[in-house]
């Protein structure tokens, strides 16, 4: 093993063809008209990447799939972006200032930035993007809840007015590519879903559904032209297939890595292994729009009945950290909480008190995230003594999202990735008006606490506010939290300049490929 990287953290398919060999960074015709849709590429080898599943679409403002963001991280930009310590740094905005009353944020944009089609990027693009998210009530509209106005007084200035101090505004705008700035013409044409135009270090040059998404280096990127000529993303859900492709030289990088092979990979001198504590968490959610899951006692019974240690061992092989709240131990926002342990007597007592004598539970997992299936199988065994039969469904992730959003489940398991501010961990998921509150949780006190946390500028007071909210959320099992995983990635030693990040952002603008 050449290197194992550890980063101190503060704080988700179809099998497709894997391209062999290297190619130059030439654009590929997207629509058969002889136009590559790019401004040209940087000469250099193509990096071949295997991710665990195919993106549902490539519109960053609409998708919520990690597979999509793995690609889009390199296609689009945000106003600001987190560095390796998850502190916000300039991106499309080169600087910003906040008024004395903390209600007006003024961003100065970089000069000379262009879209992949060569047209100029201006402040009007920022206003369009943010108003689109708000007006169409897209997935991240909740991040603008405090915003009262967005203006572009000139081509390089964006002014955002908020109704109250917003200590989380920068992390909301730049924490992940869901708030990436998009081009209006690309949206109105409908092309953005499969032929997005961004300002990032790479442009999309080819998309063959089920097979590959190819990116070409952007020679005019404001951060400097990439060293490599392009990137090819293939979709491999089976870990053994991905690792075999990496060892044979068919691909150069993958995060489709079974945790049980980490120890083996540490001793493999032909590969590079990155293991990094993450800002992610995995959870169970029960649909409170359905009986008996609307009864907090039944949800608590499930929390007491599941064997967290067995789940943790089966899905992570010691690479994850057990946690009964969302925020991991390495974070300054961490809160100690340990109410639930494996206790079938307490679980049965709670069910009896609620008048529930047993039944069938529809468990929504997904084949694109095998850990959800493994956990579901353990949960099925755990709940059997309570008279609960678990029926496991495992559609692909795109279908899983549709089922979640339509409320067609009793229980589901999934993870939230790339969280930074405490608001990221709790508001959208547990506020009664939260955009990702698929489980239908509502508690007036929690709403009040989460609203207060968004505007509190005193860090100690803010930390206690979120601790209080998180405790109630866990007590009432809005989510049944399981663990914080590690980021595990493997790549060829020929890939240089790459670092595994706590937020899982796969940044390839500054990597190289050695001969």
């Amino acid at each position: 093993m050449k290197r194992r990287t550890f980063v101190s953290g503060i704080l988700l398919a179809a099998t497709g063809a894997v391209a062999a060999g290297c190619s130059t960074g030439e654009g590929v015709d997207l629509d058969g008209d002889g136009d590559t849709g790019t401004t040209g590429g940087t000469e250099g080898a193509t990096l071949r990447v295997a991710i665990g599943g195919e993106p549902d679409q490539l519109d960053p403002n609409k998708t919520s799939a990690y597979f999509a963001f793995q690609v889009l991280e390199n296609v689009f930009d945000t106003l600001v972006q987190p560095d390796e310590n998850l502190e916000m740094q300039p991106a499309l905005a080169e600087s910003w200032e906040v008024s004395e009353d903390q209600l007006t944020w003024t961003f100065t944009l970089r000069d000379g930035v262009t879209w992949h089609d060569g047209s100029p990027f201006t402040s009007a693009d920022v206003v369009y993007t943010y108003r689109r998210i708000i007006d169409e009530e897209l997935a991240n509209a909740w991040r603008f809840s405090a915003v009262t106005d967005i203006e572009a007084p000139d081509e390089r200035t964006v002014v955002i007015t908020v109704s109250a101090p917003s200590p989380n505004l920068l992390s909301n705008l730049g924490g992940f590519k869901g708030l990436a700035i998009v081009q209006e013409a690309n949206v109105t044409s409908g092309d953005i879903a499969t032929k997005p135009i961004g300002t990032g270090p790479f442009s999309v040059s080819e998309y063959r559904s089920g097979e590959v998404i190819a990116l070409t280096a952007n020679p005019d990127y404001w951060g400097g032209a990439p060293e490599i000529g392009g990137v090819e993303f293939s979709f491999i859900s089976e870990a053994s297939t991905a690792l075999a492709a990496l060892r044979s030289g068919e691909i150069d990088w993958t995060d489709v890595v079974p945790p049980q092979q980490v120890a083996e990979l540490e001793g493999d001198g032909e590969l590079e292994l990155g293991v990094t504590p993450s800002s992610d968490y995995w959870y169970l959610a029960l649909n409170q729009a359905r009986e008996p899951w609307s009864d907090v006692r039944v949800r608590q019974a499930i929390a007491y009945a599941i064997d967290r240690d067995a789940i943790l061992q089966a899905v992570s092989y010691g690479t994850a950290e057990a946690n009964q709240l969302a925020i991991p131990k390495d974070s300054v926002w961490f809160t100690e909480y340990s109410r639930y342990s494996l206790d079938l007597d307490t679980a049965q007592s709670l069910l009896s008190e609620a008048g529930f004598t047993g039944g069938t539970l529809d468990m929504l997992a997904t084949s694109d995230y095998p850990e959800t299936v493994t956990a579901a199988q353990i949960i099925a065994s755990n709940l059997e003594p309570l008279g609960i039969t678990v029926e496991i469904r495992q559609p692909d992730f795109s279908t899983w999202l549709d089922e979640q959003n339509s409320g067609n489940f009793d229980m589901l398991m999934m993870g939230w990735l790339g969280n930074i501010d405490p608001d990221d961990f709790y508001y959208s998921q547990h506020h009664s008006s939260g955009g990702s509150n698929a489980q239908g949780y509502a508690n007036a006190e929690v709403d009040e606490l989460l609203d207060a946390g968004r505007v509190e500028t005193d860090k100690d007071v803010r930390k206690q506010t979120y601790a209080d909210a998180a405790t109630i959320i866990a007590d009432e099992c809005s989510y049944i939290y399981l663990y914080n995983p590690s980021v595990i990635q493997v790549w060829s030693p020929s890939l240089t300049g790459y670092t595994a990040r706590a937020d899982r952002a796969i940044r390839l603008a500054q990597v190289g490929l050695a001969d």
Side-chain angles (χ1 to χ4, degrees):
M1 171 53 54
K2 301 276 185 157
R3 179 180 70 238
R4 181 177 182 184
T5 305
F6 289 91
V7 180
S8 178
I10 64 172
L11 338 162
L12 219 163
T15 299
V18 179
C22 293
S23 63
T24 62
E26 297 176 349
V28 180
D29 188 359
L30 277 168
D31 50 15
D33 63 0
D35 179 7
T36 65
T38 73
T39 58
T42 300
E43 291 298 323
T46 294
L47 177 70
R48 300 152 306 170
V49 167
I51 58 178
E54 183 174 359
D56 60 331
Q57 62 171 305
L58 298 180
D59 182 339
N61 300 159
K62 285 190 172 182
T63 185
S64 59
Y66 176 58
F67 297 142
F69 289 122
Q70 288 182 287
V71 176
L72 299 179
E73 179 69 35
N74 301 282
V75 176
F76 287 94
D77 292 311
T78 44
L79 277 192
V80 295
Q81 64 183 10
D83 61 17
E84 63 275 8
N85 297 315
L86 304 187
E87 297 290 337
M88 290 300 152
Q89 303 296 334
L92 288 175
E94 64 180 10
S95 63
W96 57 90
E97 60 183 29
V98 187
S99 62
E100 187 174 347
D101 63 5
Q102 300 188 56
L103 300 181
T104 304
W105 294 67
T106 303
F107 296 86
T108 300
L109 305 184
R110 293 182 185 275
D111 192 21
V113 176
T114 59
W115 293 96
H116 292 150
D117 63 2
S119 59
F121 161 78
T122 72
S123 57
D125 298 310
V126 180
V127 173
Y128 168 75
T129 298
Y130 291 168
R131 291 198 181 280
R132 176 198 187 210
I133 294 171
I134 295 169
D135 294 346
E136 296 183 22
E137 299 181 349
L138 301 182
N140 291 289
W142 61 273
R143 295 181 184 273
F144 293 97
S145 62
V147 173
T148 59
D149 196 18
I150 306 169
E151 297 178 302
D154 60 57
E155 289 192 346
R156 289 190 58 206
T157 306
V158 174
V159 179
I160 298 178
T161 305
V162 292
S163 59
S166 301
N168 61 335
L169 184 64
L170 289 181
S171 66
N172 276 344
L173 297 180
F176 81 119
K177 289 300 186 288
L179 273 292
I181 308 305
V182 299
Q183 185 191 70
E184 183 173 4
N186 191 221
V187 172
T188 56
S189 70
D191 288 342
I192 191 170
T194 57
K195 306 173 186 177
I197 295 174
T199 60
F202 297 90
S203 60
V204 176
S205 53
E206 183 180 19
Y207 186 178
R208 297 198 307 271
S209 182
E211 296 184 28
V212 68
I213 297 176
L215 310 184
T216 298
N218 175 11
D220 301 318
Y221 181 51
W222 57 263
E227 179 179 337
I228 58 175
V231 187
E232 288 183 354
F233 288 87
S234 56
F235 321 124
I236 304 178
S237 60
E238 178 57 49
S240 60
T241 304
L243 289 177
L246 183 62
R247 288 192 170 102
S248 69
E250 294 178 86
I251 61 173
D252 306 299
W253 182 100
T254 188
D255 64 346
V256 187
V257 185
Q260 62 267 36
Q261 291 195 26
V262 166
E264 174 189 342
L265 290 168
E266 283 184 308
D268 190 332
E270 301 302 316
L271 299 175
E272 300 276 5
L273 173 68
V275 179
T276 303
S278 79
S279 58
D280 312 337
Y281 66 87
W282 287 78
Y283 66 92
L284 301 171
L286 287 154
N287 188 349
Q288 297 176 39
R290 294 181 175 181
E291 295 183 353
W293 324 119
S294 56
D295 191 319
V296 65
R297 295 167 296 185
V298 177
R299 300 196 301 273
Q300 289 171 338
I302 301 296
Y304 279 112
I306 61 173
D307 189 340
R308 286 179 173 79
D309 290 339
I311 293 173
L312 196 64
Q313 181 59 30
V315 302
S316 82
Y317 288 81
T319 62
E321 185 79 36
N323 194 357
Q324 294 191 32
L325 295 183
I327 300 178
K329 289 183 178 179
D330 286 347
S331 173
V332 297
W333 304 103
F334 174 72
T335 298
E336 190 71 49
Y337 182 93
S338 58
R339 171 173 179 168
Y340 300 105
S341 58
L342 181 57
D343 188 339
L344 286 178
D345 290 339
T346 297
Q348 185 61 69
S349 177
L350 286 164
L351 292 179
S352 297
E353 185 180 329
F356 180 64
T357 57
T360 300
L361 186 154
D362 169 43
M363 176 72 174
L364 184 59
T366 170
S367 56
D368 285 347
Y369 292 106
E371 52 267 77
T372 65
V373 179
T374 301
Q377 292 166 344
I378 294 172
I379 291 166
S381 177
N382 292 160
L383 298 185
E384 186 176 354
L386 300 177
I388 300 174
T389 299
V390 177
E391 295 183 348
I392 303 169
R393 288 187 290 137
Q394 42 185 306
D396 60 48
F397 186 55
S398 180
T399 303
W400 185 100
L401 285 171
D402 290 340
E403 294 290 84
Q404 175 203 237
N405 294 336
S406 64
N408 187 26
F409 67 94
D410 287 327
M411 176 188 277
L412 56 76
M413 177 184 172
M414 194 43 65
W416 275 85
L417 310 182
N419 313 285
I420 297 177
D421 188 84
D423 183 75
D424 300 337
F425 289 85
Y426 294 117
Y427 191 95
S428 179
Q429 304 90 327
H430 306 289
H431 194 285
S432 60
S433 63
S436 299
N437 187 352
Q439 74 277 18
Y441 177 69
N443 180 299
E445 184 180 0
V446 169
D447 284 355
E448 183 177 345
L449 288 165
L450 294 179
D451 288 336
R454 287 188 149 189
V455 301
E456 181 56 64
T457 57
D458 184 300
K459 189 171 184 178
D460 291 337
V461 174
R462 194 167 188 246
K463 180 177 181 179
Q464 187 58 53
T465 298
Y466 281 106
D468 292 344
T471 298
I472 298 171
I473 288 166
D475 282 347
E476 297 189 345
C477 297
S478 175
Y479 279 1
I480 299 173
Y481 295 101
L482 298 173
Y483 59 89
N484 302 115
S486 288
V487 177
I488 306 173
Q489 301 170 352
V490 186
W491 58 91
S492 165
S494 63
L495 174 60
T496 61
Y498 180 79
T499 301
R501 294 168 51 95
D503 61 357
R504 295 183 187 267
I506 303 171
R507 294 192 184 172
L508 303 174
Q510 297 180 338
V511 306
L513 275 174
D515 294 334

